[in-house]
Amino acid sequence: LLELMHGFKQEQPPARMALSVHRLESPVTSTFLTNIGARLGAAWNRQTDSCSLAGILKASGLKELGFPGLTINGDMGYTYDRDSGEVQFNLDYELAGVEATSLNLKASGISTAGLMGLGEPPFLQQLHLARRIQPGYMKQVATMCATNSGQSQDQFIEGLVTRPASHYLQNLGFIPGPGLKAMLKQLVTHAGELEILANPSSEINPANLSAYRPGDIIDLLGLTVSYN
């Protein structure tokens, strides 16, 4: 077992690690969730209007909705094979009454330094991401935002998914195609789960994806997206 009180050297991370949090109570104004978002990348951490599509998906309007506090449940861990350089990462996270996220990722070509974010980027082998939004939260935020904008709920939701490409790129970090826009509209209208699967036919270095066109990236990653 890892002696956490004494820590470990960055160049010698443990082969396995797990963290579990259950019923962690946090005020809505806490920086806890902001700090998590900062680790998910610039697009996720960017300040957004709580009634924009990105703001709704990130649940950034909880204070305006009158949530007194948050209850957080989560499990996170990884298994690392030093000999093969393969890592299996798992995350299950729930913001009670709002949303839940599950992420399973398998990558290869990772040195011990790379595992700590100090080496070369890994090669993606497989990814499964599922994000479920609770109907109660979605109904509250859609009603609040429609009222604030002086529109009906249907008009407000239609406006969310008919923005120009530049708006999506700035707020979501990517430009969704017609199929994904339709799924996002269903998600905001009815809540539910959005699932993303990536099964590349060959090992992919994420650092090189910016060199490809969006349509090519879908084929390259073997990407499928579904809504339930």
Side-chain angles (χ1 to χ4, degrees), residues 2-228:
L2 175 67
E3 185 58 68
L4 287 177
M5 293 299 292
H6 297 93
F8 57 87
K9 296 180 181 179
Q10 283 196 328
E11 65 273 16
Q12 294 179 328
R16 293 181 298 276
M17 183 178 288
L19 172 67
S20 183
V21 175
H22 294 283
R23 298 198 61 80
L24 173 64
E25 303 291 334
S26 171
V28 174
T29 55
S30 171
T31 59
F32 179 80
L33 294 178
T34 302
N35 291 336
I36 292 177
R39 287 158 175 78
L40 296 177
W44 182 268
N45 196 43
R46 187 180 293 120
Q47 293 295 320
T48 53
D49 177 358
S50 58
C51 284
S52 67
L53 181 58
I56 291 173
L57 296 178
K58 292 193 295 184
S60 61
L62 296 177
K63 183 178 179 181
E64 292 93 325
L65 287 173
F67 276 71
L70 307 173
T71 300
I72 302 165
N73 300 298
D75 294 285
M76 179 176 67
Y78 73 80
T79 301
Y80 175 55
D81 187 323
R82 290 187 178 90
D83 294 330
S84 67
E86 291 187 350
V87 66
Q88 179 78 44
F89 175 80
N90 301 288
L91 169 68
D92 288 292
Y93 164 82
E94 178 197 23
L95 194 57
V98 180
E99 55 95 2
T101 297
S102 175
L103 170 66
N104 297 284
L105 183 148
K106 186 177 181 181
S108 63
I110 304 177
S111 64
T112 52
L115 188 63
M116 302 307 297
L118 303 175
E120 294 296 319
F123 292 100
L124 177 65
Q125 290 186 320
Q126 191 176 60
L127 179 144
H128 177 208
L129 173 66
R131 183 170 177 81
R132 172 168 289 277
I133 297 181
Q134 296 297 330
Y137 159 72
M138 190 59 79
K139 183 177 181 179
Q140 281 183 273
V141 72
T143 299
M144 178 190 75
C145 292
T147 300
N148 291 347
S149 66
Q151 299 175 296
S152 69
Q153 194 163 313
D154 288 342
Q155 290 172 326
F156 168 73
I157 293 173
E158 185 65 27
L160 280 180
V161 296
T162 55
R163 300 297 180 92
S166 58
H167 175 85
Y168 284 107
L169 190 60
Q170 181 180 2
N171 288 275
L172 295 181
F174 66 95
I175 302 172
L180 184 53
K181 285 183 181 180
M183 290 183 192
L184 290 171
K185 182 177 180 180
Q186 289 296 310
L187 187 64
V188 177
T189 304
H190 304 293
E193 182 173 276
L194 193 66
E195 185 176 32
I196 300 173
L197 295 171
N199 288 288
S201 57
S202 60
E203 293 181 334
I204 302 297
N205 186 335
N208 297 331
L209 290 179
S210 60
Y212 293 89
R213 294 178 301 178
D216 294 334
I217 292 176
I218 293 174
D219 295 333
L220 192 68
L221 294 177
L223 199 64
T224 58
V225 181
S226 61
Y227 165 76
N228 182 15

